[in-house]
Amino acid sequence: MTDLVAVWEVALSDGVHKIEFEHGTTSGKRVVYVDGKEEIRKEWMFKLVGKETFTVGASKTRATINIDAVSGFAYEYTLEINGKSLKKYMENRSKTTNTWVLSLGGTDYRVVLEKDTMDVWCNGKKMETAGEFVEDGTETHFSVGDHSCYIKAVSSGKRKEGIIHTLIVDDREIPEAVE
């Protein structure tokens, strides 16, 4: 990996993915790795600028690496996810998902709620859930190992804040993670 020019970490519902990009500026070689697995390899490209598009994660999220000449033989590499810059994508994602990171019995778990679909993911797998209406909102129940979990959704009472989602595992509240 002598021509490694960029590394990004992208948090998706099924986990955090590492994207690595090799760009041989003399040979024109381009190699894209996702989680250590080679996704694209192109040798002897005469055009040193351009873009490479590939997919990431279980939901086959579209990613594009843009290669732009800055000056002379210097290049800039930017990653887009679903057509948005990585920064914009992550800002938008924080509005559409909630993420919790917890440890149960020595095992680390990453639980993600997709607010638009109410899908729950745990360590890369979409969970079987059961929704239930309760007095002050809803509860989405699922299990992690032999632990009973649910995500409680209640109105904040404030229009700007919207609905507050809380993860409860074995009757204790888990603080939300910041990604």
Side-chain angles (χ1 to χ4, degrees):
M1 287 241 245
T2 53
D3 295 323
L4 186 67
V5 293
V7 178
W8 296 275
E9 288 201 341
V10 181
L12 300 177
S13 294
D14 67 337
V16 179
H17 299 278
K18 185 176 180 182
I19 297 171
E20 297 168 290
F21 183 56
E22 287 183 23
H23 187 215
T25 53
T26 49
S27 66
K29 175 181 80 168
R30 296 181 192 176
V31 186
V32 176
Y33 297 92
V34 177
D35 299 327
K37 182 178 169 284
E38 190 176 295
E39 291 294 321
I40 295 174
R41 176 178 287 271
K42 293 180 178 169
E43 305 279 353
W44 300 107
M45 303 238 346
F46 293 105
K47 194 168 182 229
L48 292 175
V49 295
K51 53 180 61 180
E52 294 298 336
T53 300
F54 52 98
T55 60
V56 181
S59 55
K60 300 263 182 252
T61 302
R62 190 171 55 91
T64 302
I65 295 173
N66 295 303
I67 308 154
D68 298 300
V70 183
S71 64
F73 291 101
Y75 297 90
E76 181 180 78
Y77 309 96
T78 53
L79 179 67
E80 290 179 0
I81 304 292
N82 279 344
K84 293 184 179 83
S85 72
L86 181 59
K87 184 177 185 294
K88 266 265 183 279
Y89 176 80
M90 295 315 286
E91 283 169 5
N92 186 50
R93 193 169 158 71
S94 69
K95 293 177 193 142
T96 60
T97 62
N98 287 78
T99 303
W100 296 270
V101 176
L102 61 147
S103 184
L104 295 172
T107 305
D108 290 336
Y109 294 96
R110 182 174 174 272
V111 176
V112 178
L113 168 68
E114 292 182 351
K115 295 183 207 175
D116 53 351
T117 59
M118 291 306 286
D119 286 342
V120 176
W121 293 74
C122 181
N123 289 2
K125 293 187 176 51
K126 197 163 148 189
M127 305 301 287
E128 286 288 324
T129 61
E132 178 185 355
F133 288 99
V134 292
E135 192 177 316
D136 53 353
T138 62
E139 293 179 355
T140 304
H141 292 263
F142 59 99
S143 295
V144 173
D146 54 1
H147 299 273
S148 72
C149 313
Y150 65 93
I151 296 171
K152 191 170 182 66
V154 293
S155 172
S156 64
K158 298 181 188 88
R159 200 163 162 204
K160 274 230 182 279
E161 284 179 39
I163 296 171
I164 298 169
H165 296 89
T166 310
L167 175 64
I168 311 289
V169 178
D170 296 335
D171 295 322
R172 63 187 176 94
E173 187 175 318
I174 306 297
E176 192 174 340
V178 180
E179 293 193 321

